[in-house]
Amino acid sequence: MDLRYSREYEEYRREVREFLKGHWPPSGEAAQGSQAEQAARFRALAIQRGYVARSIPAAYGGSEQPPDVLKAVIIAEEFGRARAPADVRGIGASMLVPTLLEHGREDQKLRFIPPTIRGEMQWCQGYSEPGSGSDLASLKTRAELIDGEWVVNGQKIWTSGAQIAHYMFCLCRTEPGAPKHAGISYLLIDMKSPGVEVRPLRQMTGTADFNEVFLTNVRIPADHIVGKRGEGWTVSRSTLKHERNMIGDAAGSRVLFEGLVRLARETKRNGKRAIDDSDVRQQLAALEGYVLSHQYSGYRQLTLAARGKDAGIAGMMNKLTSTNIGHSVARLALDLLGDEGLLAPTNEARGIRLLPRGHAGWITQNMWSLGVAIAGGSANIQRNVIAERGLGLPRDFAAQREGSR
Amino acid sequence: MNFGLSEEQELLQDTVRRFLEEHWPAKKLRALFDGPSGHDADLWRGMAELGLLGLTVEEKAGGAGLELLDLALVAEVLGSFAAPGPFLGHSLATLALSWGGSEAQKDRWLPRLASGEALATFALLEAGGGWDPAEWGARLLSAGTGLRLSGQKIHVPAAEIADVFVVGVAGGGLALVERAGEGLCIEAIEGVDQTRRVCRVAFEGATADLLPGGNEAAPRVRDAGLVLLAADAFGGASRCVELAVEYAKNRVQFGVTIGHFQAVKHQLANMAVEIEPARSLYWYAAHAFDHLPAESQRHAALAKAHLTDRFMQIARDTVEVHGGIGFTWECDVQIWYKRAMFDRAFLGTPAVHRERAARLAGW
């Protein structure tokens, strides 16, 4: 065990810092144009240097670097500190691109990957339906091949970012006679196609970050399918695997916790600073036990990954641990706010800010902690996964009957 | 950066695990738990032969010269088997001598403690007092050329079989008392954890020797103890999860094993999520102890508070998963339940250490 970086990595960190000092924030000619243009120019440079899009082959616009977890951590830390544009975030880069790399045709990779990792092409995910949440494979949206085109009819729900996305990767039933999981295909839908209607869904926070998407006789080219007909379930599983592989947000939990400590210093309880109250101190220290465990478990998982080993059950717990911490923070923050807990949430767009802004921001965090515990596989589904795959307990009756997964 | 065990450390844990699987079957644990003595001399000898008693002792005294993390990795495995005996007190007394002893004291004791030829223990708590060095009241008085110790210590582990005691004294220092001397009165206390039995020890003018570096060593030894208890708790809690999962895979109700029921599955998943990430917290605290001095005190406190709390709750959940049988004396779960009670209370409850952690953070 050694928590220092070796000389090689310290040298690498220096290089990254040097690069950032020279190029971000941009100055002179590089500072011209819109923010988006400046970011795009910087990102192109960072790709050349091997700091961004590291896992993407050069043929598809990436920098094609050998995998190195520690370098990735250094880049994340240094780019974060400099607030420089790093890897494009969002569901396109994190889920669609890895899926295309694994299952896509050459022409699909060439067409969709480069603009996605440059941040020019936005994606949304067409999985959940009103009747198909945790039981996703029961989905009913149909696609029929008619005159060389897929004709799609159905409804998707909880579609984050559909209002701005250029494309949707979408699961549709294409083989109605086949068993549940074998009848699904993975299609790419241009959101500007006639028949696509996006209706915002307003959340309890008051903002509308996700949507319902109605698909009525939407026609898309026959070759906008990833993988073969009826193999969409397998293709989508690999997407979910990539989603789970995304490095846990332990660093986010840490930042949130430190914000909570600051809140305890600023607010009063019984006429003195809340942080001087023994009950508050106990609760903060108890919560910090979870936060540190989460953070160091992340270190351990990174080390295992660098050694080419599987993290096992620990790797299945990151999301649940993170959202459990989010719930605890929400509870304690509300206590600290006292009467300010009567305020409405602030109307910030994309409310999953790492650190709430102002006291009302903690009300927003309080509500978002519920949203993130449900999105991307609810807490109860996480518990199923941990119990079944991690602890080897028997599968759910219903899932067992259908022989799925 | 590397936050993982070395091959040697993995091998160390495997070796201890295999040793206990072979020499410490559930039947023996049960017999000891129900029996009059909390000590198994064969087991202790075996641990000595593996070199576990001298892991942190310097090499010239016959030890392995390793770090607290190595010792904690052993404590984890002992916790997972609910292995009985004087390991905790012996380890802490050995560390106290290593850090606070004079050359003469070290020469006299460390080789024998490392080999298992002599057994040491650590006496801190006094009735109505606390574990903290500032709270110790036992008094050292000069008598002729030597020193005499007067005072009473409670919850002293393995005192009945110890050859030498490291005792916390007024002013926060440490004194060495040999059992062979006069003025020692040892009386068993009916403790909750039958795998780690405790005594009341009255020192009535006992011949004593001061550890010259005792004042500096004392808080350090206390912190090492917190880390070892956290490691024991991780081992014990993880074993509880295994016991509960095993039971859920075998117990049949309504025609199926109860592990089919989502209520049970989710309870088991929650137990695993409570404890597994905390493995890294005790690792970090143990590593910080030797390498990150600025963080070590606070991490020892937080690790002890967090892990022993988790162990207690998981042991409770394990009883619940077992249903009625889990509440009986026959069911082995009670052994870990009581071990959790020991880990949680010994050297101070979670609340005590959370308050310390708050102070150390400048809150």
Side-chain angles (χ1 to χ4, degrees):
Chain A
M1 194 168 289
D2 184 356
L3 292 175
R4 294 164 308 175
Y5 287 96
S6 70
R7 180 178 302 223
E8 179 201 345
Y9 287 106
E10 285 303 342
E11 184 52 39
Y12 188 75
R13 186 187 291 278
R14 248 192 311 278
E15 271 175 38
V16 176
R17 278 191 187 157
E18 213 45 42
F19 168 77
L20 287 167
K21 224 166 106 189
H23 295 101
W24 193 265
S27 56
E29 232 172 86
Q32 286 171 8
S34 70
Q35 263 186 348
E37 286 163 355
Q38 292 178 26
R41 271 200 300 273
F42 172 82
R43 212 173 253 131
L45 214 56
I47 289 176
Q48 267 177 34
R49 291 288 293 262
Y51 299 147
V52 167
R54 291 168 51 82
S55 61
I56 312 296
Y60 313 127
S63 60
E64 198 171 339
Q65 298 293 309
D68 188 324
V69 178
L70 296 183
K71 284 188 177 171
V73 170
I74 289 172
I75 293 165
E77 285 175 357
E78 295 302 326
F79 274 58
R81 197 166 294 150
R83 297 171 180 275
D87 278 319
V88 170
R89 285 165 191 264
I91 211 150
S94 65
M95 294 178 72
L96 174 85
V97 169
T99 302
L100 281 182
L101 286 172
E102 198 170 329
H103 298 281
R105 289 190 317 270
E106 189 60 19
D107 61 295
Q108 291 171 331
K109 295 180 194 174
L110 288 169
R111 174 169 174 189
F112 293 115
I113 294 177
T116 302
I117 62 174
R118 286 198 302 264
E120 296 157 15
M121 186 181 272
Q122 310 282 344
W123 292 82
C124 60
Q125 178 196 59
Y127 283 10
S128 294
E129 295 182 7
S132 304
S134 295
D135 182 14
L136 180 60
S138 67
L139 59 89
K140 293 189 181 65
T141 293
R142 288 191 55 180
E144 294 170 274
L145 202 53
I146 299 169
D147 302 332
E149 283 181 316
W150 292 108
V151 180
V152 186
N153 280 286
Q155 184 193 346
K156 295 291 175 181
I157 197 165
W158 321 130
T159 319
S160 299
Q163 72 276 30
I164 53 164
H166 302 96
Y167 271 85
M168 169 193 267
F169 52 95
C170 184
L171 292 178
C172 302
R173 191 158 297 285
T174 54
E175 328 297 315
K180 189 168 164 182
H181 294 80
I184 296 169
S185 296
Y186 190 105
L187 303 179
L188 307 178
I189 298 177
D190 185 338
M191 293 296 280
K192 288 192 298 292
S193 314
V196 176
E197 188 198 344
V198 177
R199 288 187 208 160
L201 278 168
R202 196 172 178 213
Q203 302 115 210
M204 68 192 295
T205 54
T207 53
D209 301 286
F210 56 26
N211 306 275
E212 295 175 288
V213 179
F214 294 85
L215 303 161
T216 311
N217 290 320
V218 177
R219 304 182 83 86
I220 59 169
D223 64 359
H224 275 35
I225 179 171
V226 181
K228 297 205 181 77
R229 282 181 73 143
E231 289 182 356
W233 186 254
T234 314
V235 173
S236 76
R237 291 295 95 179
S238 85
T239 310
L240 286 181
K241 183 178 75 197
H242 292 300
E243 181 180 47
R244 278 198 293 270
N245 279 350
M246 286 195 284
I247 291 180
D249 26 13
S253 296
R254 179 84 223 164
V255 171
L256 200 57
F257 176 76
E258 281 165 6
L260 190 65
V261 173
R262 271 197 299 281
L263 184 66
R265 289 183 191 280
E266 288 167 10
T267 49
K268 297 264 182 198
R269 179 177 285 196
N270 299 326
K272 52 182 185 179
R273 293 190 317 160
I275 200 156
D276 294 329
D277 181 274
S278 105
D279 176 52
V280 170
R281 296 161 78 80
Q282 286 291 322
Q283 289 195 56
L284 283 173
L287 183 51
E288 193 176 3
Y290 286 101
V291 173
L292 292 176
S293 297
H294 188 30
Q295 197 179 342
Y296 302 149
S297 180
Y299 290 2
R300 176 170 166 264
Q301 291 171 49
L302 285 175
T303 302
L304 286 169
R307 293 178 183 178
K309 289 186 184 162
D310 187 68
I313 195 168
M316 304 173 192
M317 296 176 168
N318 293 328
K319 195 205 167 206
L320 188 55
T321 303
S322 176
T323 55
N324 281 346
I325 291 171
H327 286 310
S328 302
V329 169
R331 210 163 30 237
L332 184 49
L334 207 55
D335 269 357
L336 292 172
L337 289 176
D339 300 338
E340 287 185 285
L342 293 164
L343 297 174
T346 51
N347 207 26
E348 293 178 43
R350 298 299 299 161
I352 328 175
R353 299 177 51 84
L354 273 182
L355 196 56
R357 215 177 260 166
H359 290 187
W362 285 100
I363 310 282
T364 315
Q365 184 278 333
N366 179 290
M367 293 175 192
W368 266 109
S369 68
L370 289 164
V372 294
I374 295 160
S378 69
N380 280 334
I381 288 291
Q382 302 297 323
R383 292 185 186 101
N384 279 0
V385 169
I386 292 162
E388 293 172 9
R389 296 187 209 163
L391 300 175
L393 289 159
R395 303 233 338 257
D396 205 56
F397 294 124
Q400 216 168 25
R401 263 200 311 276
E402 287 166 4
S404 63
R405 270 187 257 170
Chain B
M1 185 183 99
N2 161 18
F3 192 71
L5 301 182
S6 66
E7 278 178 32
E8 291 79 10
Q9 287 168 329
E10 283 172 0
L11 184 68
L12 173 67
Q13 281 203 309
D14 279 350
T15 307
V16 181
R17 208 172 282 126
R18 275 202 310 273
F19 168 76
L20 289 171
E21 272 163 10
E22 195 177 329
H23 297 278
W24 197 245
K27 231 192 313 182
K28 270 193 168 178
L29 169 61
R30 168 54 65 171
L32 176 130
F33 194 82
D34 287 334
S37 155
H39 185 55
D40 182 300
D42 290 340
L43 186 73
W44 187 245
R45 202 172 308 117
M47 285 169 63
E49 279 162 14
L50 285 177
L52 305 183
L53 311 187
L55 278 186
T56 59
V57 173
E58 53 192 0
E59 287 173 69
K60 68 170 188 188
L66 297 176
E67 301 180 347
L68 188 66
L69 177 59
D70 303 281
L71 200 60
L73 292 170
V74 173
E76 177 200 323
V77 182
L78 296 177
S80 113
F81 283 82
F87 180 80
L88 179 65
H90 186 81
S91 299
L92 294 181
T94 306
L95 290 173
L97 266 161
S98 299
W99 295 332
S102 65
E103 288 308 312
Q105 288 166 336
K106 289 199 268 189
D107 288 347
R108 176 165 161 74
W109 286 106
L110 287 182
R112 295 163 67 195
L113 296 180
S115 70
E117 187 194 329
L119 187 76
T121 193
F122 205 51
L124 302 182
L125 187 67
E126 295 171 17
W131 297 93
D132 200 75
E135 296 170 275
W136 300 335
R139 306 203 83 81
L140 274 177
L141 302 163
S142 348
T145 53
L147 292 168
R148 301 272 176 174
L149 178 68
S150 289
Q152 205 179 77
K153 295 286 180 180
I154 55 171
H155 302 329
V156 181
E160 282 171 313
I161 49 171
D163 300 299
V164 60
F165 297 80
V166 174
V167 188
V169 298
L174 297 172
L176 204 62
V177 176
E178 296 186 24
R179 185 196 192 80
E182 285 177 358
L184 221 68
C185 177
I186 299 169
E187 185 194 338
I189 294 171
E190 202 177 332
V192 70
D193 179 7
Q194 296 294 303
T195 66
R196 286 171 299 180
R197 302 197 190 184
V198 291
C199 292
R200 176 180 293 107
V201 183
F203 300 93
E204 294 154 352
T207 310
D209 196 9
L210 193 69
L211 298 194
N215 282 76
E216 293 73 42
R220 235 27 219 124
V221 177
R222 188 261 326 268
D223 288 347
L226 299 179
V227 173
L228 293 182
L229 288 164
D232 187 271
F234 178 77
S238 302
R239 171 55 69 92
C240 281
V241 174
E242 287 168 26
L243 290 172
V245 167
E246 197 53 35
Y247 189 76
K249 284 178 181 171
N250 288 299
R251 168 72 174 167
V252 174
Q253 285 289 276
F254 303 101
V256 292
T257 56
I258 61 170
H260 280 84
F261 302 122
Q262 216 164 32
V264 175
K265 274 159 75 167
H266 283 193
Q267 185 170 29
L268 293 167
N270 285 338
M271 288 160 66
V273 170
E274 284 284 300
I275 194 61
E276 173 54 40
R279 174 202 306 272
S280 300
L281 178 56
Y282 104 68
W283 280 10
Y284 192 99
H287 177 74
F289 190 87
D290 284 302
H291 296 279
L292 308 166
E295 299 177 48
S296 74
Q297 251 194 310
R298 188 159 189 273
H299 271 83
L302 284 173
K304 147 82 179 180
H306 186 71
L307 278 126
T308 62
D309 250 0
R310 302 283 76 70
F311 187 13
M312 192 71 248
Q313 184 57 48
I314 286 168
R316 291 184 70 86
D317 292 340
T318 303
V319 171
E320 198 177 308
V321 170
H322 279 72
I325 194 79
F327 189 57
T328 65
W329 188 270
E330 283 88 66
C331 180
D332 285 346
V333 174
Q334 64 141 331
I335 297 176
W336 277 274
Y337 190 86
K338 291 167 180 174
R339 192 143 175 135
M341 291 175 74
F342 182 102
D343 284 349
R344 193 169 184 278
F346 200 79
L347 294 184
T349 58
V352 168
H353 293 292
R354 291 197 176 113
E355 175 53 35
R356 285 184 57 236
R359 244 180 296 129
L360 287 165
W363 291 352

